[in-house]
Amino acid sequence: MAWGMSGRGLLDMHFNKRQLPLLAMLTALTVALSLLIIIPIPATKGFVTLCEVGIYTTAIMLRNPGGLTVGALSGLLIDLLSGYPEWCLFSLIIHGGQGFVVGHLTHSDSMRPKQLIIPLICGSIVMVAGYFLATSLLFGWAAGIASIFSNIVQNGLGIVVTIPLVTSLSRIRPQLFNH
């Protein structure tokens, strides 16, 4: 079964060994950016960060497995380093899925802002729904519902920063993008 425009399925994804150092740097950058600004949300025992900027930018630039990898690893590391270990596994899966969806839905000819909206909204839905379910499982439905607003804000901010960043990078350095 083929996935998307590229004809590559989920099981056909493979790492380009030359991209591993880049993926490591983008993961570290995403973690550093996220740890720079952490806004705690006491009602959900969680927090808001800028991790979407790194995940979305990587997913758009490198597609998959880059979006999946940076999303999963940065989500896990942010939770470990910021003192929220109970979220590690959830973040690994949720942010990995978020990065995968954006990388999967982004096409090589879609660097214009209007063409990025649908993939970014779909990735945001994965994240908001994932954390709603995880928060509900850990702390009850009321906390899960309370998490929705802050996660929408986090994703909205991520989209607002990512779109101009990606459009600028695609003009300045088109070779950065996996075509």
Side-chain angles (χ1 to χ4, degrees):
M1 168 194 302
W3 286 63
M5 301 293 286
S6 67
R8 289 187 350 176
L10 178 60
L11 299 176
D12 292 335
M13 282 194 306
H14 56 80
F15 284 99
N16 176 345
K17 291 177 189 169
R18 290 181 288 167
Q19 282 187 340
L20 289 176
L22 178 60
L23 292 175
M25 289 188 324
L26 289 168
T27 299
L29 251 156
T30 301
V31 171
L33 177 65
S34 298
L35 294 177
L36 183 66
I37 299 173
I38 294 180
I39 303 165
I41 309 292
T44 63
K45 297 183 172 97
F47 54 91
V48 172
T49 71
L50 293 173
C51 69
E52 272 65 34
V53 176
I55 294 168
Y56 289 157
T57 302
T58 302
I60 292 166
M61 284 176 30
L62 300 178
R63 312 295 189 276
N64 284 312
L68 171 72
T69 303
V70 170
L73 292 176
S74 63
L76 176 105
L77 290 170
I78 291 163
D79 289 338
L80 277 177
L81 296 172
S82 61
Y84 292 88
E86 66 274 18
W87 291 102
C88 288
L89 248 154
F90 294 112
S91 294
L92 175 92
I93 294 164
I94 294 166
H95 286 297
Q98 178 185 29
F100 174 80
V101 166
V102 174
H104 179 69
L105 294 176
T106 302
H107 304 295
S108 59
D109 60 343
S110 60
M111 290 304 123
R112 291 192 302 266
K114 281 193 270 186
Q115 295 170 315
L116 295 173
I117 293 294
I118 297 297
L120 292 171
I121 287 174
C122 290
S124 297
I125 290 169
V126 167
M127 188 273 212
V128 172
Y131 276 111
F132 165 75
L133 293 172
T135 304
S136 297
L137 180 67
L138 289 175
F139 304 109
W141 292 106
I145 291 168
S147 74
I148 293 171
F149 179 73
S150 60
N151 286 323
I152 289 172
V153 169
Q154 178 169 317
N155 276 278
L157 181 60
I159 290 170
V160 165
V161 174
T162 299
I163 288 176
L165 176 62
V166 167
T167 52
S168 295
L169 284 172
S170 70
R171 283 190 210 125
I172 297 168
R173 297 266 188 212
Q175 69 273 22
L176 292 173
F177 293 81
N178 187 17
H179 294 287

